[in-house]
Amino acid sequence: MSTATQDVKISVHHLTRVEGHGNIVVDVRKGKVEKCEWHVPEAPRFFEAMIRGRHYTEVGRITSRICGICSVGHTLASLKATEAALGIQISEQTFKLRELLKHAENFDSHILHVYFLAAPDLLGVPSVFPLVATHGPVVARALRLKRLGHEWGSLLGGRTTHPTKAVPGGFSSLPTRKELSELKAKMLAAIPDLEETLKTVAALAPKFPAFDRPTEYIALASDKAYAVYDGDIQSCMPDGKKQRYKVADYRKVTNEFMTPLSTAKYCKNKLDSYAAGALARFNNNYDLLHPEAKKVAQALGMKPVCGNPYLNTAAQVIEIVHTFHDSLRIVDELIASGIKDEQPVKPTKYATGAGAVEVPRGILFHEYSYDKDGMCTGGDCIIPTNQNHANIQKDFDKLLPEMLAGGKSEKQIELAMEMLVRAYDPCISCSTHYLDVKFV
Amino acid sequence: MARPKVAFFDFTCCEGCQIEFTNYGDAAFLELIKHVDVVEFREAMSEKTKDPIDIALIEGSFSREADRPRLEEIRKRAKIVIAYGQCATTGGINALKNHTTDYKKCVYGKDAEMPHLDSQKALPVDAAIKVDYKAFGCPVNKYEVLQIVSHLLHGKEPVIPTYPVCVECKRRETVCRYQEGDHCLGQVARAGCGAPCPADGIPCEACRGFADSPNEPALEKALRSAGLPERRAKEKSRMFTANQRSDSK
Ligand code: SF4
Ligand code: SF4
Ligand code: SF4
């Protein structure tokens, strides 16, 4: 069949191996693209309406439920916003423990994505289950690493799905020095598993599709660290030019808007879309990566500014290593200084405040207002997947004609598009505000 | 039951309960899949089937009419339906909006009346179809789910606690939050979690919903005595029990 006259009809209804519901619709008639869209039909949940009238100690416990996969990140973004609104300054110890908790989530989630959601594509199987028979030791290793992430996060947060111990002003309960030493021992014991992970990914790396569409990359940034828990907002353009914004000004960067093409809200800043996530962090903050993580980047042939969205998964692998080694540093510092018994810091005022953290899928913003009794009067949550939708659509717009011109089959195109969406590791279930889509 | 076919489905939720399945760790997870065939699990696998299934695990609330046919179809295919997680068993956190009428307007502003924003009250799955067993919690207690499935495999009736969290809290000898000058919903919350929250120094928010016959007026009194203002004491339990309270709409 000549590609110029090819017909392609793709309707992936509820894309699998992603969190939440997304659809891909493609209609090509005689080589002409009539429709090429990424839709989100997730049921809306109205969190911003539900936090009204709730006490500030409850708000984080509610908005954590926006997403079960990044619930640590939602809790932390929520606490930061509440603390900004209530004039709470957390202690250095709390800061370190929160960083360690944030690292645990990114590690845990990246392991899940790389092994369970992305690897099956690279190995040509529909899911991790057939791999139990063919790649038993790899699956067992993945589950061991997943458990490490879970135990590491649970030590600090109480549990990893909707953590309980992180509260406004600090923690309701602290790990002991002994528990931290045990965590360190577990982490050290996992190093062989990590090394094997890198080998597996390096062997699969040539299977990442070649595709290039540099865009604007938005991530938290700080002069002190590869920012995950704290920093300003930073934009990195395809030419590497960077600009910083205050977190309180997040609306100037996110610019949510509606589009007739898709009913999900889109975000844009300098270009007509931007990307958030591991690749955005990598492109913004490469210089501050741990040396061990830089080695992995070299081994995978990754350099900033990288414009291949499929390599978001590779950036996650680099971050797994960074997060691991940076956490060992924090654990060592905490063991050396000892854990001080601290009560959560109390509010000093009641106003409006915003907070941001880097969840596995990108930068996450929460903002709340409180009345004089500490009751929430309203809020705003902008999740990374929401910020990525326009960018996914723009990737589609470039990818589809390229694949048609390359004479790819409908099946190949469908898989490439599915893989592209999965590479963003979208977390659609956290749709705080999405609209439904009906197909004609 | 010989090697049952197990499928996972999700509706309005955060998928945190599904994620708990990946938190079993290698030993429990690899053991579990020795005894069951996971035939559908959209979050982790692309395989799908139209075949009958033995156990359907449903996560998430029934929050729009459009989801009813999908629920009915699952019911038709499944021998046993287990609603798991608070969203599915009581409406959970999603039901927190049920006592308000302006939630669409609050979040979507001028777009609030767009027809595809179809969202009704958030209801439990059993508002649409018959449910055989319920695993409570936000998130579920993953070992409780394991226990329910294991009981079913062995032909036993799963037992779910009907008593309050205070029982478990006392059992683990946690100092009561009220003794510490705090408040807590443990008296009315359904046990089964092992009372981790008070043990970690924070009040129970009844994330497993109400225990059988909760004494709501007594709770309000206890909360007032702990220093909560009237409005807060009245509203306090609503977070996860919106559909179970006596004033539920
Ligand atoms: S019950 Fe809680 S953890 Fe489970 S899906 Fe609902 S919100 Fe998420
Ligand atoms: S802390 Fe809560 S659960 Fe524990 S005994 Fe007191 S009221 Fe009951
Ligand atoms: S103690 Fe209360 S809030 Fe905590 S897990 Fe148990 S039921 Fe849920």
Side-chain angles (χ1 to χ4, degrees), chain A residues 45 47 62 64-68 161-162, chain B residues 11-18 20 59-61 84-89 91-94 135-140 207 240:
Chain A
R45 293 169 73 210
F47 276 93
I62 295 172
S64 151
R65 267 77 183 182
I66 290 173
C67 172
T161 312
H162 312 314
Chain B
F11 289 82
T12 308
C13 70
C14 83
E15 309 203 1
C17 291
Q18 278 187 58
E20 283 298 284
E59 181 194 38
S61 313
Y84 77 113
Q86 211 57 22
C87 293
T89 52
I93 197 84
N94 302 317
F136 299 96
C138 180
V140 277
C207 82
F240 293 100

Side-chain angles (χ1 to χ4, degrees), chain A residues 17 58 65 146 161 172 434, chain B residues 20 23 108 138 200 236:
Chain A
R17 278 186 283 131
E58 300 168 359
R65 267 77 183 182
K146 182 76 188 63
T161 312
S172 70
Y434 285 128
Chain B
E20 283 298 284
N23 287 337
Y108 291 95
C138 180
D200 286 341
K236 180 70 208 172

Side-chain angles (χ1 to χ4, degrees), chain A residues 27-305:
Chain A
D27 187 2
V28 176
R29 282 179 213 170
K30 299 207 184 352
K32 187 166 170 282
V33 180
E34 303 278 342
K35 199 178 227 181
C36 165
E37 290 173 13
W38 163 240
H39 290 294
V40 174
E42 192 68 48
R45 293 169 73 210
F46 306 100
F47 276 93
E48 289 127 330
M50 297 198 292
I51 54 176
R52 294 173 305 167
R54 307 306 307 188
H55 192 250
Y56 77 85
T57 52
E58 300 168 359
V59 170
R61 295 186 86 170
I62 295 172
T63 48
S64 151
R65 267 77 183 182
I66 290 173
C67 172
I69 300 99
C70 329
S71 63
V72 165
H74 276 281
T75 301
L76 294 176
S78 178
L79 294 179
K80 287 182 80 179
T82 293
E83 286 160 358
L86 305 189
I88 294 174
Q89 288 281 349
I90 58 165
S91 73
E92 201 189 315
Q93 175 174 295
T94 296
F95 189 94
K96 280 187 184 168
L97 290 169
R98 292 222 185 134
E99 259 191 324
L100 194 54
L101 175 58
K102 188 79 257 328
H103 273 323
E105 173 177 76
N106 288 13
F107 179 90
D108 197 17
S109 175
H110 284 354
I111 290 285
L112 180 79
H113 184 250
V114 170
Y115 273 103
F116 296 84
L117 310 184
D121 282 331
L122 304 177
L123 290 165
V125 291
S127 76
V128 71
F129 290 99
L131 297 178
V132 177
T134 57
H135 297 69
V138 180
V139 177
R141 185 206 305 153
L143 287 161
R144 273 197 305 274
L145 287 170
K146 182 76 188 63
R147 187 177 65 193
L148 170 67
H150 178 56
E151 288 175 353
W152 161 5
S154 299
L155 172 63
L156 303 153
R159 58 187 182 202
T160 52
T161 312
H162 312 314
T164 50
K165 292 184 186 177
V167 298
F171 284 87
S172 70
S173 142
L174 295 163
T176 62
R177 198 191 222 160
K178 180 165 167 282
E179 285 170 328
L180 287 168
S181 302
E182 285 163 6
L183 171 65
K184 183 180 173 183
K186 272 184 204 161
M187 290 177 73
L188 293 177
I191 288 179
D193 276 347
L194 268 188
E195 282 169 354
E196 286 301 313
T197 302
L198 298 180
K199 278 192 209 148
T200 306
V201 175
L204 291 173
K207 300 204 176 187
F208 286 119
F211 173 69
D212 201 48
R213 197 189 72 83
T215 181
E216 182 180 3
Y217 298 93
I218 305 254
L220 273 189
S222 135
D223 298 330
K224 293 187 212 105
Y226 186 93
V228 290
Y229 175 70
D230 199 37
D232 292 323
I233 306 168
Q234 184 170 287
S235 144
C236 170
M237 297 301 282
D239 62 3
K241 224 168 152 263
K242 291 170 183 161
Q243 189 185 339
R244 293 237 178 132
Y245 307 80
K246 289 268 156 263
V247 168
D249 292 334
Y250 74 96
R251 279 199 182 82
K252 287 188 194 151
V253 177
T254 52
N255 304 301
E256 285 191 299
F257 68 102
M258 302 291 292
T259 154
L261 188 70
S262 166
T263 46
K265 281 186 186 174
Y266 277 18
C267 288
K268 70 170 182 178
N269 186 36
K270 293 182 184 173
L271 303 177
D272 45 15
S273 72
Y274 68 79
L279 191 61
R281 291 189 287 261
F282 175 86
N283 284 337
N284 267 288
N285 303 322
Y286 173 85
D287 290 342
L288 289 156
L289 275 173
H290 190 278
E292 289 295 321
K294 278 192 185 154
K295 272 194 222 157
V296 178
Q298 273 150 20
L300 294 173
M302 292 259 301
K303 276 197 297 282
V305 175

Side-chain angles (χ1 to χ4, degrees), chain A residues 61 65 159 164, chain B residues 137-139 165 168 186 189-198 202-209 240:
Chain A
R61 295 186 86 170
R65 267 77 183 182
R159 58 187 182 202
T164 50
Chain B
C138 180
V165 165
E168 288 178 331
R190 182 185 299 274
C193 56
C197 298
I202 51 165
C204 167
E205 297 286 3
C207 82
R208 295 172 56 86
F240 293 100

